[in-house]
Amino acid sequence: MPPIAVPSNLVDSLGCKSPHDALLALADESEFNALKLAEELAASLSATKKHSSANNNNNSSSSSVGSGRRSKREDPDISCGGGGGAGQFVTLPRSLRDAPRPTRKISQKGSSSSSSIAEDTITNSSSSAAHALTHATIASESILSSLSKIASGGSAASSEMRQLESHRQRLDEEAIDIDHALRIREGCQRGGDALMGRRYGDAARAVADVTAILKECSNNAVQLAGEEALEAHSKTKEVTKRAIGERYETAVANGDVVQLSELTPLLQMLDMAELGVRLYLQYSQTVLTKEMSLDVEDVPVDMAHVERAEGMSRAAMRRRAEEEQQLRRNMSVPMKLARIYNAAVTHLRHHLPMVAYALGEADGDAALVQLVHVEAEKRAVDIMRDYMSEKQLNLTVKRADGVGKKIEDRYIGGGFSARDDEINIANVLGFAGDALGGGGGS
């Protein structure tokens, strides 16, 4: 690969066939020249120290003579140094003495005086352009000029980018406001059409969408939507709430589970969660009262509602149904408690998920659990109280206390017999006559 010609300055390197290689060559040459100058300067300073110490006295005496005063420009071999004293001179290196001194030229650019730009450049004659120091100076001046232009251009570009970014943000905000305004109008129109068609579910969802947009949009979007759209939204919301509330009360009164499952999720959209919790608890209390009831009506068995089993005659099916009815009539205490527990668990399993989803923000799920707990506890306590009254458990407890005291006295005082122990236990259990009779026969 042929060697690359080293350009004279940075601007000339940009016009080469390969600007990248030209810049690298220029940098290598500048580094080589700087190292060479540094070595020459170090060698010159080390030789000058010995010479200056030997001629120190002669320089002091000769400095008083007028003919010996020579300026630095008159004698190119010596230069004044500031570090050795007022009358001490240091000899400059040959590379610095032979280097031509460039002249600075200030050029004005621009048509008008107000917009004129002054540029400080270095000009050299053709004879001195080949010198290493001149070459390095021109290259550094060119690099400095390029960096200054890049800095000024970058600052202007940064300012313009900030202005464009601010303008883009304003356009984005305006576009978002327009989008919110259009969605508000579309939701109002959709809610009105659904209400006219008695599609209360679609109307409630449209009202909820518009309400959510109004909470997050800006005042500018509300103004763009217009007062007519806001008035239509308020009217649609009011009419929808009244219609759904009436139908919900009717469904609770009739125990219509299908209507309840359709209308309950709509209550939260219309800010009617508290009303929904109150009415749903009313419905749940009615259902629990019916399911936990232990009263069995004495009505004939309706064979139309009896499940037909394979291989059973009609008479056998009737007998089985009557036996089940009789069993329910004569339920024991554990069976009654189990019936209450099963009714409570079944109701929670069927209704709690929907209540938690639709009325959870109004604590409808906690209220439903509390209601079921109170209803089950109240009936369980009544059953246990009736059982204690029926079996007279209070009298049994008193008898047990008396027998225990007598047994304790006999153990402490002595004279205890097994026959007395059997009689006391029989008295407690209510079999005193059987125990005495058994004893008489022995």
Side-chain angles (χ1 to χ4, degrees):
M1 180 177 180
I4 300 175
V6 180
S8 59
N9 51 40
L10 186 62
V11 178
D12 295 340
S13 65
L14 299 178
C16 297
K17 184 177 181 180
S18 177
H20 180 267
D21 297 337
L23 289 174
L24 292 178
L26 180 61
D28 293 339
E29 185 180 5
S30 299
E31 183 179 2
F32 174 76
N33 292 332
L35 293 175
K36 181 179 178 182
L37 290 175
E39 292 176 356
E40 293 181 0
L41 181 61
S44 299
L45 290 177
S46 62
T48 304
K49 287 182 180 179
K50 299 178 181 180
H51 181 71
S52 61
S53 61
N55 298 331
N56 189 17
N57 295 329
N58 295 332
N59 291 335
S60 300
S61 60
S62 62
S63 62
S64 60
V65 181
S67 61
R69 295 173 184 170
R70 294 178 299 176
S71 63
K72 289 179 289 183
R73 293 186 178 274
E74 292 175 356
D75 190 358
D77 295 335
I78 53 177
S79 176
C80 180
Q88 183 176 1
F89 295 90
V90 179
T91 304
L92 295 176
R94 181 176 300 277
S95 59
L96 296 180
R97 295 197 308 268
D98 296 342
R101 287 164 174 74
T103 59
R104 294 184 177 273
K105 179 181 179 180
I106 300 177
S107 60
Q108 300 289 337
K109 291 185 178 182
S111 58
S112 61
S113 60
S114 60
S115 62
S116 63
I117 301 175
E119 290 189 357
D120 190 3
T121 59
I122 295 178
T123 59
N124 294 276
S125 61
S126 59
S127 60
S128 63
H131 196 273
L133 186 61
T134 304
H135 189 68
T137 304
I138 293 174
S140 62
E141 289 287 343
S142 177
I143 294 174
L144 179 61
S145 176
S146 300
L147 293 177
S148 300
K149 293 179 180 180
I150 292 173
S152 61
S155 177
S158 177
S159 177
E160 185 177 358
M161 287 296 295
R162 287 194 298 269
Q163 293 178 359
L164 292 175
E165 181 65 20
S166 301
H167 184 61
R168 185 191 66 80
Q169 291 179 357
R170 289 194 299 269
L171 291 179
D172 290 344
E173 293 175 357
E174 293 177 359
I176 292 174
D177 292 339
I178 294 174
D179 178 67
H180 285 166
L182 293 177
R183 289 169 58 188
I184 290 173
R185 292 186 178 182
E186 186 270 337
C188 295
Q189 181 68 28
R190 179 160 46 90
D193 295 342
L195 189 62
M196 292 294 294
R198 297 183 179 274
R199 302 191 307 272
Y200 298 107
D202 296 339
R205 283 184 281 272
V207 170
D209 293 341
V210 175
T211 303
I213 296 172
L214 290 175
K215 290 181 180 179
E216 65 180 12
C217 69
S218 61
N219 295 329
N220 188 23
V222 176
Q223 294 177 359
L224 290 175
E227 295 293 336
E228 296 180 357
L230 298 179
E231 292 178 358
H233 169 66
S234 300
K235 185 176 180 180
T236 302
K237 183 177 181 180
E238 181 181 358
V239 175
T240 305
K241 288 176 64 175
R242 184 170 60 250
I244 291 180
E246 293 175 355
R247 281 162 176 76
Y248 200 78
E249 292 179 357
T250 304
V252 169
N254 298 333
D256 192 349
V257 182
V258 177
Q259 285 291 323
L260 288 176
S261 61
E262 293 179 358
L263 298 177
T264 301
L266 304 180
L267 299 178
Q268 187 176 355
M269 302 178 184
L270 301 172
D271 300 331
M272 300 173 63
E274 295 181 358
L275 175 63
V277 171
R278 180 175 61 83
L279 294 177
Y280 208 94
L281 291 180
Q282 180 180 344
Y283 162 76
S284 298
Q285 188 173 15
T286 304
V287 174
L288 290 173
T289 302
K290 181 180 179 181
E291 295 295 331
M292 294 182 180
S293 177
L294 302 175
D295 298 333
V296 179
E297 299 179 359
D298 192 6
V299 295
V301 178
D302 188 3
M303 295 303 298
H305 297 85
V306 176
E307 184 179 358
R308 184 175 182 85
E310 185 178 358
M312 291 184 63
S313 62
R314 189 175 184 86
M317 293 172 54
R318 178 183 294 274
R319 285 195 303 270
R320 189 181 66 174
E322 291 176 353
E323 289 175 359
E324 292 178 356
Q325 188 176 15
Q326 185 67 22
L327 183 62
R328 292 183 59 186
R329 187 179 296 110
N330 300 327
M331 283 191 300
S332 62
V333 173
M335 294 179 63
K336 293 179 180 179
L337 295 176
R339 179 181 175 84
I340 294 173
Y341 172 79
N342 292 334
V345 172
T346 302
H347 187 82
L348 288 178
R349 183 181 297 172
H350 290 170
H351 297 274
L352 185 59
M354 184 181 65
V355 174
Y357 168 75
L359 305 176
E361 293 186 358
D363 296 332
D365 49 353
L368 180 61
V369 172
Q370 186 177 5
L371 173 66
V372 174
H373 169 72
V374 169
E375 292 293 330
E377 182 182 17
K378 179 177 64 176
R379 287 168 173 78
V381 169
D382 292 340
I383 292 173
M384 297 303 297
R385 185 182 294 112
D386 295 340
Y387 178 76
M388 293 176 64
S389 299
E390 180 182 356
K391 299 299 182 179
Q392 296 182 354
L393 295 182
N394 55 346
L395 297 178
T396 304
V397 171
K398 290 180 181 179
R399 291 176 184 175
D401 291 340
V403 172
K405 186 179 294 186
K406 289 179 180 181
I407 293 174
E408 184 179 356
D409 293 342
R410 287 180 182 274
Y411 269 113
I412 295 174
F416 176 77
S417 63
R419 175 63 177 172
D420 295 334
D421 188 14
E422 294 178 359
I423 294 174
N424 291 328
I425 294 175
N427 289 330
V428 173
L429 300 177
F431 305 132
D434 297 340
L436 293 176
S442 56

